[in-house]
Each structure stands twice: as structure tokens, then as C-alpha cells.
Amino acid sequence: PEADCVLEDGAVRWGERVVPFTEVYDAAQQQGMELATEGRWGGTPRSVAFNVHGFRVAVNTGTGELRILQSVQAADAGVVVNPRQCRGQVEGGIAQALGVALYEEVRVNDAGKVTTDILRQYHIPSFADVPRSEVYFAKTNDQMGPLGAKSMSESPFNPVAPALANAIRNATGVRFVALPIARDKIYLALKDAAASTPTQLTRI
């Protein structure tokens, strides 16, 4: 009887008898039966933070130069207990994400060696590379977090590259699907797009 059976690691226990799953499956096959069951797992309850980002950019279609004119991020951090510290976390996430989106690229040669192994070849954002970002916090309250707060760990990082790619797409008409979106890649992609269309790209 099903009610008398207990599932164990790789087997079914019925009283003192332990039957491996393989034997249960073989017996079911011999009798023309189909084994089926249902299982559910809702996961561990946790807070979920949400961040959105927007950019205004200018692209020089002759050189591929990209300038960020405006950078805005809105964050759902629940009750912001320490606004200055949380804003710093968001700004740090934006800076890190801009590095991935615009500069940082791990290159590996045919021998499997990383060739961008020093900072002269692997550019990470300096203070001058990071534009000022406007940061806004949504007024929410989380039932699970301490004092109604949510975690802001990696959340600010997530929307930056997609938002930047969308802004570049809106400015140039060219969709970039790989990171980093470096200046030389922008130049070459615009050159290819101009060569494949009857009119030159002039939008900035």
C-alpha cells in the first residue's frame, strides 16, 4: 500500500524491506504500469530587490566615440535604513557594471593563456570613466527584511549593460549583443551598417 511506503535515497522502504528504484521501475514495466508522482518546492522565502536603469548617450558615428549624457537608476531597496550607504552601494554597482559594459574583456589565445593579464591591457573604470548617476529609491516596505529593508548587493549591477546597449541602439540603429561595447567595436559596427545601407548613418 502506498501509505505504508517511504521514499529514501534511491529506494523505497516498506516496513523492513528496502526496494531500489531500479527494481520498482522494472516491476512496473513488466506489469505495464506507468510510474508518476507530483512534487513541489516553493524555495526559501526571501526578499527580492528590483533595479532599473536608464541612459542618454551621444555617439560620434565617425569615430565610434560614446559619451554618457545622463545616467539614472531607480532601486527598490525596501526601507532604506542608511540612504548614504545604500546610494554608495548603487553607485559602486553602476561603476562596476560600466567596466564590464565598456572596457573589461578577458582574451585567451590559442594556447589557452589569458593575454589581458595586466591592467595596462585590461582596463577597469577610473573615477574619470564613471559619469555621475542619479539614484532614486522607491518607497516600499519588505516584510522579511530587517526594519523593512532589502538587500542591495549585486542588484544595482544587473540593469546597467542592457540599458546602455538599448541607448546605443536607439542612438545608432545598431544592436550590440556582446560585451564590452568598446569604441573600436562601435566604429566597426557603424562602418559595416553604413556599407550595407544606401544612406550613411548620421544620427548622433
Side-chain angles (χ1 to χ4, degrees):
E2 183 178 342
D4 297 337
C5 296
V6 179
L7 292 179
E8 294 185 351
D9 186 15
V12 178
R13 176 178 291 278
W14 178 47
E16 295 298 320
R17 185 179 177 192
V18 178
V19 183
F21 286 159
T22 54
E23 290 187 22
V24 174
Y25 177 80
D26 290 340
Q29 289 292 305
Q30 292 173 7
Q31 298 180 34
M33 298 173 58
E34 181 180 354
L35 297 178
T37 187
E38 289 186 7
R40 292 183 178 84
W41 173 247
T44 304
R46 63 187 65 199
S47 300
V48 179
F50 296 93
N51 296 64
V52 294
H53 203 99
F55 285 106
R56 280 196 315 117
V57 302
V59 179
N60 186 322
T61 56
T63 65
E65 180 185 2
L66 168 71
R67 289 195 181 180
I68 296 175
L69 306 178
Q70 186 178 18
S71 171
V72 182
Q73 182 161 143
D76 173 11
V79 175
V80 181
V81 179
N82 187 328
R84 181 173 293 182
Q85 184 183 47
C86 194
R87 184 178 301 274
Q89 178 70 23
V90 173
E91 291 173 344
I94 295 170
Q96 183 183 11
L98 284 173
V100 173
L102 295 175
Y103 309 113
E104 300 174 38
E105 184 173 14
V106 177
R107 294 178 182 169
V108 182
N109 64 17
D110 294 338
K113 180 182 177 182
V114 175
T115 60
T116 50
D117 54 354
I118 58 176
L119 293 179
R120 191 182 306 124
Q121 300 163 335
Y122 188 87
H123 179 73
I124 60 174
S126 66
F127 190 80
D129 295 319
V130 181
R132 178 186 177 277
S133 290
E134 303 169 41
V135 179
Y136 301 97
F137 295 114
K139 292 183 179 179
T140 60
N141 190 308
D142 188 70
Q143 295 182 352
M144 300 188 63
L147 304 178
K150 293 183 180 182
S151 169
M152 271 289 105
S153 52
E154 286 83 11
S155 296
F157 179 98
N158 296 331
V160 174
L164 187 60
N166 284 341
I168 295 172
R169 166 67 175 80
N170 288 342
T172 65
V174 178
R175 167 65 69 189
F176 292 86
V177 295
L179 301 178
I181 311 175
R183 177 174 177 172
D184 57 335
K185 293 182 180 179
I186 295 175
Y187 169 78
L188 293 173
L190 293 178
K191 185 178 178 182
D192 290 343
S196 63
T197 56
T199 57
Q200 294 290 323
L201 291 170
T202 56
R203 186 177 179 186
I204 295 179

